[in-house]
Amino acid sequence: NLIFHILNTLLVFIVFKKMTNVLWQSAFVAALFALHPLHVESVAWIAERKDVLSTFFWLLAMWAYVRYVEQPKVARYLWIVVFFALGLMSKPMLVTLPFVFLILDYWPLNRLGSKRSLVYLLIEKIPLFMMTAAGCVATFITQKESGAMRLTKPLSFPLQLANASISYMQYIIKMIWPSRLAVFYPHSGRDISILYAVVSAVVLLTVTILVIRFAKNHRYLFTGWFWYLGTLLPVIGLVQVGPHAMADRYSYITLTGLFIIIAWGLPELLGKWVSASPQRKIVLWEFSLIVIFALTVCAYIQTQYWKNSMSLFEHSLRVTENNYLMIDNYASILVEQGRLDEAIGWCKESLRINPDSAVGHNNLGGALLQAGRVRQAIDCFRSAIKCNPDFLQANLNLADSLEKQGNFEEAVSYYKQAIRIAPDNAQAFLGLAITLTKLQKFDQAIEPFDKAIKLEPANISARGYRGMALAAIGKIDEAIEDIRFVLNARPDDVQMHRNLGIFLERKGDIAGAIESYRAALRIDPDNENLRQLLEDDLKKQESTAGK
């Protein structure tokens, strides 16, 4: 990620220098892009490889577009298509790139002032807009099918619009004063501040009107402002995907528009305030160095929170309120550390904030189960399923808990429910099969064992359990094959050596059984049961030899 981020920084400088032929402003935009704390999430979080990778292709597409503008040729246009396609495959947020090309035509490429008309420029980009349309449709379908667009409490469009207005303003505020940054900003839902949303909308509209008003003499304002508004549009929340209100990672490419306004606007302002050219340059360099140093310090501090999950979640809880998702994640870490009482307390706090959260009920159940409070855990898993009947993990957890409690029949029903939800889940098939063996329904258990092993051919436990089930229905040869598979992977498994000896004895292979018992005794020499089995078979062998 860091390598890609460095390459992206260099590309920002190269592309803007090529477009504008201005050194200082291009370098300052690149420096802001490289060091802004809002960009830490995209670089430090491995799952956000798609951010840095898609931006890499975005910038290459921009570079290719500038080359095409210099000398319009089909071959050069194809490079734009290739880089745009690679960017879309990396992250569909790139759907706005053709729109960015249009505003770059206005400034700094200045194509709208030439003989080429707006109609020509639109026609020129039809293939790119077609790719954008395909990317939007594919993303919408994928997000909908994955359940990312399904919220516990669906929000009305006015609330989504209010959140979008606030988020646009919040990104600007955090760009200017990058504090209280978190990996997850919870959506306010129906408690959203309508007053703040209206004020934000008025400010945004006012700025937009002023930008259009002064665009003729300050073209960079138009490009910078509409770059920001346009590139943020796909992730601003008008179509709600996930429970977050906004995300730092969404600013990775979008803030470049505001950086343009700062880099080109600052020299103009200084030109009005400081008349002498050398003095103006000194002030400009001093300001730049102060900003870069401040951003460097802030980015370094923000990076420290990403050293591990615990520090990241603790920081997020400090800087946000009612952040139930971070509480859930924090509680999971506490469970891993064995701090169960603390974990249970945090899980209850999460449910206080969001009582209809299936994940919250499931997490509380998991912590209670670890603490040995099985009955309470079962109640929590039932509540999770009530909130979301298709929640796979809750169904599996409930089935496992019922099985541990000896309620095998009900456990079977929830394993089957889990299989209905996820037909390719090996854990569900294995749990069902094991529970059926405990009900002594060995014939019925073979099929789910087979499916579990088909899904996970290297699953040692499944092979071992299936071997025992096969032996129970008289298929000794197949059982021996499974037991040998287990022993090949786990040669120190005493129980499997013992089972192999018993099965070989059933087949009449006394010598083979003796060898298996001896192998088990070499691992566990104090096992009296194994010693007795060995002595019995040695006597059988002597008796057979005597006859």
Side-chain angles (χ1 to χ4, degrees), residues 249-405:
R249 57 188 175 276
Y250 293 158
S251 71
Y252 190 67
I253 191 66
T254 58
L255 287 187
T256 306
L258 300 181
F259 296 159
I260 290 170
I261 294 174
I262 295 169
W264 267 266
L266 187 63
E268 280 197 10
L269 288 174
L270 284 176
K272 295 177 181 179
W273 296 340
V274 183
S275 56
S277 180
Q279 189 178 358
R280 176 169 167 264
K281 287 183 179 179
I282 292 172
V283 173
L284 201 60
W285 276 105
E286 287 177 346
F287 174 83
S288 303
L289 291 174
I290 291 170
V291 170
I292 290 171
F293 177 75
L295 290 178
T296 301
V297 172
C298 291
Y300 175 80
I301 293 171
Q302 185 64 21
T303 304
Q304 301 311 299
Y305 300 130
W306 285 86
K307 63 183 178 181
N308 58 53
S309 297
M310 179 64 81
S311 62
L312 182 64
F313 300 154
E314 286 178 337
H315 172 69
S316 295
L317 290 174
R318 283 196 299 270
V319 300
T320 59
E321 296 178 357
N322 297 326
N323 200 334
Y324 61 91
L325 182 61
M326 285 298 98
I327 292 174
D328 288 337
N329 290 344
Y330 183 61
S332 297
I333 299 294
L334 293 174
V335 169
E336 291 176 9
Q337 295 180 350
R339 297 157 63 180
L340 299 178
D341 289 338
E342 293 178 68
I344 290 168
W346 280 106
C347 287
K348 289 179 178 178
E349 173 64 12
S350 172
L351 287 171
R352 182 194 65 78
I353 299 166
N354 190 16
D356 296 326
S357 169
V359 173
H361 286 291
N362 183 67
N363 288 349
L364 177 57
L368 289 167
L369 191 64
Q370 290 268 24
R373 295 152 67 176
V374 181
R375 287 187 179 180
Q376 295 177 48
I378 287 174
D379 290 339
C380 289
F381 297 139
R382 291 190 194 279
S383 297
I385 293 170
K386 186 178 180 180
C387 294
N388 180 7
D390 292 334
F391 188 5
L392 173 64
Q393 196 57 53
N395 279 277
L396 286 173
N397 287 342
L398 179 55
D400 290 343
S401 301
L402 291 168
E403 188 269 334
K404 285 182 175 68
Q405 205 179 41

Side-chain angles (χ1 to χ4, degrees), residues 72-284:
K73 289 183 178 180
V74 173
R76 292 193 173 190
Y77 192 90
L78 287 176
W79 278 113
I80 302 172
V81 172
V82 169
F83 290 134
F84 185 36
L86 292 171
L88 283 174
M89 289 190 285
S90 303
K91 188 175 184 179
M93 188 176 168
L94 264 73
V95 292
T96 57
L97 184 55
F99 166 77
V100 171
F101 287 158
L102 275 176
I103 59 176
L104 291 175
D105 286 337
Y106 180 71
W107 182 90
L109 299 177
N110 299 318
R111 299 180 76 198
L112 283 174
S114 66
K115 295 179 181 180
R116 293 181 174 85
S117 65
L118 177 60
V119 174
Y120 174 82
L121 294 175
L122 288 170
I123 293 172
E124 175 187 70
K125 295 169 181 63
I126 285 177
L128 304 180
F129 282 119
M130 291 174 64
M131 293 170 68
T132 288
C136 289
V137 171
T139 302
F140 182 83
I141 293 172
T142 303
Q143 296 283 17
K144 191 171 183 179
E145 290 182 350
S146 68
M149 297 171 66
R150 184 178 63 234
L151 299 178
T152 305
K153 296 179 180 178
L155 300 174
S156 64
F157 183 72
L159 287 177
Q160 293 175 343
L161 196 61
N163 179 71
S165 173
I166 292 172
S167 296
Y168 266 121
M169 185 58 61
Q170 279 294 310
Y171 284 117
I172 297 173
I173 293 170
K174 289 185 180 295
M175 181 207 70
I176 298 170
W177 193 259
S179 65
R180 302 180 69 82
L181 305 183
V183 68
F184 178 78
Y185 301 97
H187 202 295
S188 299
R190 290 166 176 79
D191 297 326
I192 197 167
S193 172
I194 300 301
L195 177 60
Y196 188 18
V198 171
V199 171
S200 298
V202 169
V203 171
L204 292 170
L205 182 60
T206 302
V207 172
T208 302
I209 292 171
L210 291 173
V211 164
I212 294 172
R213 167 69 177 80
F214 293 105
K216 186 175 181 181
N217 296 323
H218 310 278
R219 291 192 165 200
Y220 64 86
L221 290 176
F222 184 91
T223 296
W225 182 246
F226 283 99
W227 176 310
Y228 172 68
L229 294 181
T231 55
L232 201 51
L233 187 63
V235 291
I236 202 61
L238 294 177
V239 177
Q240 188 65 32
V241 179
H244 52 277
M246 56 183 289
D248 291 355
R249 57 188 175 276
Y250 293 158
S251 71
Y252 190 67
I253 191 66
T254 58
L255 287 187
T256 306
L258 300 181
F259 296 159
I260 290 170
I261 294 174
I262 295 169
W264 267 266
L266 187 63
E268 280 197 10
L269 288 174
L270 284 176
K272 295 177 181 179
W273 296 340
V274 183
S275 56
S277 180
Q279 189 178 358
R280 176 169 167 264
K281 287 183 179 179
I282 292 172
V283 173
L284 201 60

